[in-house]
Amino acid sequence: MQKQLFNSDWYFTDKAGGGLADQIHGASKKSEKVELPHDAMIHEKRTPDAVSGSQSGFYPGGVYQYTKKFYVPEEWKDQTVIFEFEGVYAHAMVYINGDYAGGCLYGYSNFYVCADEFQKYGEDNEIRVTANNSMQPNSRWYSGSGIYRSVNLFTGGMLRIPVNGVRITPKNIRHDTAVAEVEVKIENDCLQGERIKVHTEIIDPDGNTAAEDETVITVYRGDRTGVRQRILLSAPRLWDCDSPELYTARVSLNTDGGKMDCVEEKFGVREISVDPVNGFCLNGKTVNLRGTCIHHDNGIIGAATYYRAEERRCRQLKEAGFNCIRSSHHPMGKAMLDACDRIGMLVMDELSDMWTRPKNTNDYAQEFVYHWEEDVEKIVEKDYNHPCVILYSTGNEIQEAGTPKGAQMNRRISDKFKELDATRFTTSAANGLIAASDCMKEIMTDVLREAGSDLSGSAEGGAEGAGGSNLLNNMMSLVMSGKTGDAFAAHPKMTERLEEFADATDIAGYNYLTGRHALEHQLNPNRVVLGTETFPGDIVRLWDVVKKNSHVIGDMTWTGYDYLGEAGCGIFYYDGKANFSSNWPDRAAYIGDIDLTGYRRPVSYLRQIVFGLRKEPYIAVERVNRYGQPHSMTPWMFKDNIASWTWPGYEGKPAKVDVYCASPEVELFLNGESVGRKPAGEENGYTAPFEMTYHPGELKAVGYRNGQMEGEFLLYTAGEEVRPVIQAETQKIHADSQELVYITVGLEDASGYPNLYEVRNVSVQVEGTGVLQGFGNADPQSENSYDDTVCPTYDGYVMAVVRSTGEKGTITVTFTVEGCGSVQTIIEAE
């Protein structure tokens, strides 16, 4: 079947405000023309009384309607027409010419709607989609609302390859040869049988024909059949993280009357294996998973899933040292899968955040038991040809995990994945606090007794019925970090609760249970372990566990990229507030290695050094204007530091400086004079701390190995006068309404030294063949809307996302900075 985007010329109505029947069937507000993907929630006004509170970032949710007129030609009478919705949040209902045609309850699954029975030929037709996200609270993080992923239109003749009808499985991979097993499904709705030739051409990454095959088959009337071809590839170019080589399979159905259908699918030639001695292997080489969990939103443009946004996020994570992404806690979108294939990022794709026990009043637990098999089928269909996908996760922090019925369910889901796709591995991200909730008092009594403390109060019931993120995360902060957390993780009762659940999957996935990772090999020598979610500031210890234990195949930090919702998880409160307390106006978690604008925070550079990917040292300065001030702290937080040596008004005041360094020794210089020389490197947690006095000038760190300089890093104090500096990530884009360009404006002095301390209001204006998709900064507590055209700098920067209108021409983007004049960049849409 032939595929085309169906994203343009939709009309959107926010129907919140009336009764539910009115919202769905009428009494709506004025429509506006929109381009898909479209996140309706990001344009809503945040309110302190939003039902979901900080979980959604104080966005309220609602009911939404999308309509589009499309012409159906007479020739479609002999064709099948299918709409694919890659993601609608949530409870999607699709109507064609007023009649219900299909839908999907789960906001993260792609789904298909066949239009054949509803179309009117030779005239305009109407498709209408309603999305209901009014039943709050549901998601524990920012979900977005509406048709936030792309819509595709598939058309095919009476004799066709159906949607998802080509599956490619690389086999028998050797140095000089490999086999591409190509399975092709065929559907025949013709009035008679057809003798056809199925021709498959394999095109190599350079666009040349690498191999081909042709199979003859007679397809009878009404048949749903297929062929399987085994095609030999000579000198195959393997897909891996460093060289993500992609082949294309071009499959055509041919009869004496000509070509009846043609489909192209990209794939990679690679093989994966896992065992407790060699760990995870990609093409026969051990690869430790340098992983991160990520939610699905794209910061200041919300959950709108544009390929360029996903590609940018994936690329930045790869540049920061990650080689694996866990989609948390839902199936990954197709745009991100495509980006991971092209960039060389491994993927752990996840089914759901809950099964039958809800975490929020209106979450997917109400529907999961009825739809999980269909959801698994959709994930496998979506993922099968993507070489980036190596793991399927059956769920995240499932509350049934510590029960025999929970283990049974885990086996059923894992077996379903394996039945549909035996080429990949399964895991589940288990949380010990939840799994052992019924015996928390016994465990904590033992743990605290060993530590010389008493348990005050009762922990019976644990996180059962915890009503979202805040209570659960508070409890995890208390009992799952540090030495107490390790003792908690290794308790015999924890083993009792987790062992049957862990046995259900290929790999035991543990959230915040690092104390179990090495222990697991003693208890079960055949078990392979993955840290599916871990505290970000604990990376030095976590990676040491990975390096020393071959059965521990990697670590997935929470999290590599900041996100909306779960707001305040990592905010440093200096005003007496506590984290996880639904504090207005918090909007973002503020817990990512990379912030909402793409700026890498200091913990990102520490992680890169720990991974062995950076030799140069890095200087991180705890905010001098906050020196000595008490603040909130959770295990998800690292340090309130920044790579800046510009602190006007704090001359002569004390300062704390960390130098992250792989070298065994590091020396810090201020204005050419040594502040001190200290041990660093692995034995010292890759960190050399310095207490010093702030004076403006040059701050330089030099790393030494065997007395020789191995690398250096410098920070400079910016001068008093600032000027704007503009950086567009590209100056040319396609004239395509799906194309985005990211433009950052920062402040610097006359010498080009960045000033991250100064705060200036910045306004933006877009002219020509582009529109402003979003404008904002990385401030997790900003009350600005991302639709605003004025925004203050935060840690020195603001960012605009500009989208092409689809027309060729010039896009002029002008930024006016308070007290600094204007800067401008010109983007060519070609």
Side-chain angles (χ1 to χ4, degrees):
M1 296 187 73
Q2 302 307 298
K3 173 184 174 181
Q4 57 182 298
L5 272 178
F6 201 66
N7 283 344
S8 297
D9 300 324
W10 287 80
Y11 285 85
F12 165 76
T13 306
D14 178 354
K15 307 186 76 171
L20 184 57
D22 287 339
Q23 291 170 8
I24 293 177
H25 297 294
S28 62
K29 301 177 183 178
K30 185 178 179 180
S31 296
E32 62 174 308
K33 191 174 181 179
V34 297
E35 180 80 15
L36 303 184
H38 177 260
D39 175 12
M41 181 177 271
I42 201 67
H43 304 292
E44 293 172 350
K45 181 176 176 59
R46 300 194 308 134
T47 61
D49 58 352
V51 176
S52 291
S54 61
Q55 292 184 94
S56 69
F58 295 94
Y59 286 94
V63 180
Y64 317 92
Q65 178 177 281
Y66 298 81
T67 59
K68 176 182 169 78
K69 299 286 187 181
F70 65 104
Y71 182 74
V72 177
E74 290 285 349
E75 53 264 32
W76 281 14
K77 286 181 178 179
D78 296 325
Q79 296 197 11
T80 286
V81 177
I82 294 175
F83 293 103
E84 180 193 16
F85 296 85
E86 294 187 10
V88 181
Y89 203 92
H91 295 90
M93 301 180 74
V94 181
Y95 300 83
I96 298 175
N97 296 323
D99 292 320
Y100 177 74
C104 183
L105 295 172
Y106 194 23
Y108 297 107
S109 281
N110 65 314
F111 65 98
Y112 301 91
V113 174
C114 183
D116 294 352
E117 297 179 8
F118 308 95
Q119 296 177 127
K120 298 176 181 179
Y121 300 99
E123 59 184 279
D124 283 338
N125 288 235
E126 181 187 76
I127 184 168
R128 173 164 53 89
V129 181
T130 62
N132 187 349
N133 194 18
S134 66
M135 295 175 285
Q136 300 286 332
N138 54 69
S139 176
R140 295 190 301 117
W141 56 90
Y142 177 89
S143 63
S145 294
I147 309 179
Y148 68 97
R149 291 177 180 163
S150 286
V151 179
N152 301 301
L153 172 65
F154 290 87
T155 55
M158 303 293 278
L159 182 63
R160 62 187 175 271
I161 300 170
V163 177
N164 300 314
V166 176
R167 247 169 62 141
I168 304 108
T169 308
K171 292 186 174 182
N172 308 121
I173 300 172
R174 298 180 176 86
H175 174 70
D176 55 347
T177 60
V179 171
E181 184 178 272
V182 182
E183 298 175 69
V184 183
K185 295 180 181 178
I186 304 168
E187 296 179 349
N188 184 14
D189 289 331
C190 298
L191 296 178
Q192 66 282 328
E194 289 280 357
R195 186 175 187 270
I196 65 173
K197 295 178 180 178
V198 182
H199 183 267
T200 299
E201 180 185 11
I202 304 295
I203 302 166
D204 72 17
D206 294 329
N208 303 312
T209 299
E212 54 189 331
D213 191 31
E214 190 166 85
T215 303
V216 176
I217 180 174
T218 300
V219 185
Y220 293 96
R221 173 184 174 181
D223 258 4
R224 301 294 186 263
T225 186
V227 301
R228 180 180 288 108
Q229 301 169 323
R230 291 175 56 85
I231 303 176
L232 183 69
L233 300 176
S234 299
R237 293 160 64 172
L238 304 187
W239 186 98
D240 62 24
C241 297
D242 297 323
S243 300
E245 303 279 11
L246 290 174
Y247 285 80
T248 301
R250 181 180 294 150
V251 183
S252 58
L253 305 184
N254 303 300
T255 68
D256 291 340
K259 185 178 294 185
M260 306 302 291
D261 201 359
C262 184
V263 170
E264 290 189 0
E265 283 285 342
K266 291 192 177 297
F267 70 99
V269 179
R270 62 104 177 101
E271 63 179 354
I272 57 176
S273 63
V274 68
D275 65 65
V277 174
N278 300 290
F280 171 76
C281 293
L282 177 61
N283 300 325
K285 298 178 182 178
T286 298
V287 176
N288 290 328
L289 302 183
R290 307 189 302 268
T292 176
C293 307
I294 60 169
H295 281 318
H296 68 301
D297 73 82
N298 279 300
I300 69 171
I301 64 170
T305 307
Y306 289 93
Y307 173 76
R308 291 301 172 197
E310 302 289 68
E311 186 273 338
R312 177 180 185 264
R313 191 157 48 124
C314 183
R315 170 173 45 81
Q316 289 176 329
L317 289 167
K318 184 79 176 289
E319 291 169 353
F322 295 107
N323 66 5
C324 187
I325 289 174
R326 173 190 174 203
S327 182
S328 309
H329 308 287
H330 47 72
M332 182 176 280
K334 289 187 172 183
M336 180 59 90
L337 288 171
D338 287 342
C340 291
D341 280 347
R342 291 184 171 96
I343 290 171
M345 182 73 78
L346 302 171
V347 169
M348 168 182 166
D349 208 357
E350 193 151 76
L351 175 61
S352 180
D353 190 41
M354 75 295 295
W355 291 348
T356 62
R357 299 186 186 181
K359 296 178 180 178
N360 265 325
T361 307
N362 297 300
D363 66 19
Y364 192 57
Q366 299 177 60
E367 290 93 20
F368 180 86
V369 68
Y370 305 108
H371 298 283
W372 70 265
E373 289 187 87
E374 180 185 359
D375 294 336
V376 169
E377 290 167 0
K378 289 176 180 177
I379 291 178
V380 174
E381 273 192 341
K382 169 178 64 71
D383 291 1
Y384 194 88
N385 290 333
H386 289 280
C388 63
V389 180
I390 59 171
L391 275 169
Y392 296 121
S393 169
T394 62
N396 173 66
E397 296 181 347
I398 299 303
Q399 296 183 77
E400 300 92 321
T403 70
K405 293 299 289 185
Q408 180 193 48
M409 190 67 182
N410 204 23
R411 285 192 296 273
R412 291 179 65 194
I413 297 173
S414 181
D415 288 349
K416 184 68 175 180
F417 272 118
K418 301 295 282 190
E419 172 194 329
L420 297 170
D421 183 0
T423 70
R424 294 178 170 91
F425 303 108
T426 59
T427 188
S428 187
N431 182 305
L433 177 66
I434 294 173
S437 61
D438 64 330
C439 53
M440 277 293 296
K441 185 173 183 179
E442 179 182 352
I443 294 175
M444 292 311 299
T445 297
D446 291 346
V447 168
L448 295 177
R449 184 184 297 118
E450 288 185 21
S453 303
D454 293 320
L455 183 63
S456 177
S458 172
E460 289 286 356
E464 185 80 17
S469 295
N470 291 338
L471 179 58
L472 174 60
N473 289 338
N474 263 320
M475 294 181 68
M476 289 172 63
S477 296
L478 292 172
V479 303
M480 295 187 72
S481 60
K483 293 182 178 180
T484 300
D486 286 350
F488 169 80
H491 194 279
K493 281 289 183 182
M494 187 64 66
T495 300
E496 181 183 310
R497 288 293 184 272
L498 288 173
E499 59 182 351
E500 187 179 355
F501 191 82
D503 281 338
T505 56
D506 299 314
I507 296 166
Y510 292 141
N511 288 9
Y512 309 105
L513 291 173
T514 308
R516 290 199 66 78
H517 291 186
L519 173 67
E520 282 288 356
H521 192 61
Q522 302 172 30
L523 299 174
N524 187 342
N526 295 309
R527 181 166 289 169
V528 176
V529 174
L530 173 62
T532 43
E533 191 169 318
T534 58
F535 296 120
D538 209 14
I539 183 57
V540 174
R541 182 174 74 105
L542 290 163
W543 203 244
D544 186 60
V545 172
V546 172
K547 290 192 295 184
K548 290 179 177 178
N549 296 275
S550 61
H551 71 285
V552 182
I553 63 173
D555 172 78
M556 300 279 191
T557 191
W558 192 271
T559 172
Y561 217 107
D562 202 12
Y563 58 95
L564 304 178
E566 283 190 311
C569 179
I571 292 176
F572 291 84
Y573 295 110
Y574 291 90
D575 57 3
K577 291 179 182 176
N579 301 89
F580 307 122
S581 297
S582 209
N583 298 312
W584 170 264
D586 298 352
R587 173 162 50 187
Y590 201 59
I591 202 173
D593 280 21
I594 303 173
D595 72 19
L596 291 179
T597 63
Y599 173 85
R600 288 179 62 188
R601 299 169 70 189
V603 67
S604 172
Y605 292 92
L606 171 61
R607 189 182 310 278
Q608 194 175 28
I609 289 168
V610 173
F611 285 157
L613 302 175
R614 179 185 172 95
K615 290 185 178 181
E616 298 81 10
Y618 188 82
I619 299 174
V621 181
E622 293 193 36
R623 298 180 190 271
V624 178
N625 58 327
R626 294 295 192 181
Y627 182 90
Q629 296 181 20
H631 58 75
S632 64
M633 194 68 190
T634 75
W636 286 273
M637 299 159 69
F638 183 55
K639 294 182 179 181
D640 194 10
N641 55 14
I642 190 171
S644 175
W645 197 240
T646 300
W647 303 97
Y650 291 89
E651 293 79 7
K653 301 293 184 180
K656 289 183 178 180
V657 176
D658 285 341
V659 179
Y660 307 136
C661 191
S663 306
E665 286 187 297
V666 67
E667 190 167 13
L668 188 64
F669 297 88
L670 177 59
N671 296 324
E673 295 186 6
S674 177
V675 177
R677 188 162 174 160
K678 291 190 174 185
E682 185 174 5
E683 292 185 358
N684 297 279
Y686 302 95
T687 303
F690 292 86
E691 286 269 0
M692 57 188 298
T693 301
Y694 172 69
H695 292 291
E698 178 193 85
L699 190 65
K700 180 170 73 171
V702 180
Y704 298 96
R705 187 179 299 274
N706 300 322
Q708 301 296 312
M709 186 179 81
E710 194 168 51
E712 66 178 17
F713 185 82
L714 295 94
L715 292 176
Y716 296 95
T717 303
E720 292 184 8
E721 296 294 324
V722 295
R723 65 185 185 190
V725 57
I726 188 170
Q727 181 177 4
E729 294 191 357
T730 182
Q731 300 297 143
K732 293 183 179 180
I733 61 174
H734 294 296
D736 183 330
S737 57
Q738 299 296 298
E739 283 283 354
L740 304 177
V741 60
Y742 284 76
I743 307 167
T744 302
V745 172
L747 302 175
E748 65 179 22
D749 69 2
S751 299
Y753 300 144
N755 187 327
L756 307 187
Y757 185 83
E758 190 74 22
V759 177
R760 298 290 177 93
N761 282 323
V762 182
S763 64
V764 62
Q765 182 179 21
V766 180
E767 299 172 293
T769 59
V771 294
L772 185 66
Q773 189 70 25
F775 184 49
N777 59 30
D779 184 359
Q781 297 177 297
S782 172
E783 294 189 53
N784 283 55
S785 166
Y786 296 132
D787 292 329
D788 291 345
T789 56
V790 179
C791 179
T793 57
Y794 180 81
D795 283 346
Y797 297 99
V798 295
M799 184 175 72
V801 183
V802 175
R803 180 173 59 82
S804 167
T805 62
E807 300 173 279
K808 293 182 179 181
T810 298
I811 305 171
T812 303
V813 186
T814 304
F815 296 89
T816 302
V817 183
E818 177 188 1
C820 299
S822 298
V823 288
Q824 190 177 87
T825 187
I826 295 176
I827 311 297
E828 296 295 333
E830 302 176 339

